[in-house]
Amino acid sequence: MGAAYYRAESESGDHIEDPSEDALFMLIDDLNGSDNTFVVIQPDEDDPGWFTSVAVLDEGGYEVVRRDTTRREHDVAIETSIDEIARGLTIWMAARDFPGRPNQHTTNF
């Protein structure tokens, strides 16, 4: 198995290295309003340049935070669909920089 680029960890201590969209769905689905209220995903490094989190809201739904200091991005949204949250976070994280991962290059034809 290769090096972990990022890690998801819930308040209850559940954690997954480099979680897939399905794994994120399961972590978020396990959240509740009492003892497992949030999950944080960030690079597996000492001073991460980005993070994202999902927290259960008392009134229902989830608060989704996406923060990337290197790109000056900070977004907070209220979502209700776990499927859409997991998909959106997977796409967002794919565009982040990870130490040790080859740079992504695009070519215009």
Side-chain angles (χ1 to χ4, degrees), residues 4-80:
Y5 294 117
Y6 57 95
R7 175 185 180 106
E9 186 164 356
S10 67
E11 180 179 16
S12 68
D14 290 337
H15 64 277
I16 300 175
E17 304 292 331
D18 298 329
S20 65
E21 182 178 332
D22 290 339
L24 289 175
F25 181 96
M26 291 187 310
L27 283 173
I28 297 165
D29 192 44
D30 286 344
L31 297 178
N32 61 59
S34 59
D35 63 349
N36 192 29
T37 61
F38 65 87
V39 63
V40 175
I41 306 126
Q42 63 187 17
D44 193 20
E45 59 186 42
D46 291 334
D47 189 20
W50 64 265
F51 78 91
T52 185
S53 65
V54 179
V56 175
L57 296 173
D58 290 338
E59 60 275 4
Y62 302 88
E63 178 185 76
V64 180
V65 177
R66 295 174 185 93
R67 177 94 167 116
D68 188 333
T69 58
T70 61
R71 298 178 187 203
R72 297 181 184 194
E73 295 176 4
H74 187 202
D75 179 57
V76 179
I78 306 301
E79 301 283 345
T80 57

